[in-house]
Amino acid sequence: MNVEAIVHFLSTEGAEFGLKILGALVAWIIGRWIIGLVLRAFNIAVARGKRIDATLAKYLTSIINVVLNLVLVLAILDIFGVRTTSFAALLAGAGLAIGTAWGGLLAHFAAGVFMQVLRPFKVGDFVQAGGVTGTVAEIGLFGTTIVTPDNVLTIVGNNKVFSESIQNFTTLPHRRVDCTAKIANGVDPADAIARLKAAVAKIANVMTTPAPDVEILQFTPEGPLLCVRPYTHTDHYWQVYFDTHRAIAETFGAAGYPVPETPLAPRTR
């Protein structure tokens, strides 16, 4: 475009184009202000109602924000005379193409939406999901972030999480701690069980109801294998697990129990 064409455009349509730009700027400012009001009103309503989880509320806020901004952009384009119907059709076609190319991501997104609605777990829960065990740090649009017990940040795709079994160790108020203790063949199992029940009951954070279970689990060549199963709150699981093993070692040591040994088969000549 040469200088004469620019001058001709400004002299004939410059004022109208300037008004369109001014109108678009005013529409953008007012539109963004209205969108902010809508989002704030939605967040206030959610906070007062206390029926929608914070993570789900964040999802809905993001979706509303995107939709309203898209409507605002289409309205501004209409000010300049752009056929928004054609633009909407173009967006739909582009969305279809992107959806075909990114089918896997959309599957993770859909699974994330269902997870937000069904709520199999929340942030802070200790779970086993998608083959990963740990504490949920974040439930994202496409993936769930889990911190494993050895402090490794792991992101699992939501579709993998939702399509496999989910174990939530935090939902119920207490857990059973499973430990075992083997005694030698010459040791009286009843005496060992009585000593262990008394020792385990003294461990901090072990529940009295239900009471700890100490029974014969199975018989082995070295001697009876006892199951030692105290119950505790989910927050104290691992500490009780370690304390129980320590109590087993100290109890058997104080009782003078011999170490279980594997019997050797007699040699044949």
Side-chain angles (χ1 to χ4, degrees), residues 40-108:
R40 283 194 294 272
F42 175 77
N43 290 328
I44 292 173
V46 169
R48 289 180 178 177
K50 297 181 180 179
R51 294 184 178 181
I52 301 179
D53 184 79
T55 308
L56 179 57
K58 185 178 179 181
Y59 263 119
L60 296 176
T61 302
S62 300
I63 293 173
I64 294 173
N65 186 33
V66 171
V67 172
L68 292 180
N69 276 284
L70 181 59
V71 172
L72 177 60
V73 170
L74 292 178
I76 292 175
L77 290 176
D78 190 62
I79 294 176
F80 288 97
V82 178
R83 297 290 298 274
T84 55
T85 53
S86 301
F87 187 72
L90 179 62
L91 284 178
L96 180 62
I98 293 174
T100 304
W102 292 355
L105 287 177
L106 292 179
H108 291 307

Side-chain angles (χ1 to χ4, degrees), residues 45-235:
V46 169
R48 289 180 178 177
K50 297 181 180 179
R51 294 184 178 181
I52 301 179
D53 184 79
T55 308
L56 179 57
K58 185 178 179 181
Y59 263 119
L60 296 176
T61 302
S62 300
I63 293 173
I64 294 173
N65 186 33
V66 171
V67 172
L68 292 180
N69 276 284
L70 181 59
V71 172
L72 177 60
V73 170
L74 292 178
I76 292 175
L77 290 176
D78 190 62
I79 294 176
F80 288 97
V82 178
R83 297 290 298 274
T84 55
T85 53
S86 301
F87 187 72
L90 179 62
L91 284 178
L96 180 62
I98 293 174
T100 304
W102 292 355
L105 287 177
L106 292 179
H108 291 307
F109 176 79
V113 173
F114 279 110
M115 286 170 59
Q116 292 298 326
V117 174
L118 299 178
R119 306 303 297 163
F121 52 77
K122 62 182 182 300
V123 173
D125 285 356
F126 188 81
V127 302
Q128 182 180 38
V132 179
T133 301
T135 303
V136 179
E138 181 183 359
I139 305 175
L141 285 172
F142 301 99
T144 299
T145 303
I146 299 176
V147 180
T148 60
D150 55 344
N151 202 36
V152 176
L153 192 70
T154 307
I155 300 176
V156 187
N158 284 336
N159 191 36
K160 181 175 177 61
V161 172
F162 199 67
S163 62
E164 297 184 6
S165 298
I166 299 174
Q167 288 183 304
N168 191 330
F169 300 99
T170 306
T171 302
L172 300 179
H174 65 267
R175 288 183 63 188
R176 189 184 73 185
V177 181
D178 289 354
C179 302
T180 57
K182 186 177 291 186
I183 56 177
N185 283 312
V187 176
D188 181 9
D191 180 69
I193 290 174
R195 291 174 181 269
L196 283 178
K197 282 186 176 181
V200 172
K202 297 178 182 178
I203 297 175
N205 299 313
V206 169
M207 301 177 63
T208 57
T209 304
D213 298 323
V214 182
E215 300 294 343
I216 298 177
L217 185 63
Q218 67 182 68
F219 294 95
T220 69
E222 298 83 9
L225 180 66
L226 307 180
C227 65
V228 185
R229 297 172 176 174
Y231 296 82
T232 185
H233 191 276
T234 54
D235 293 343

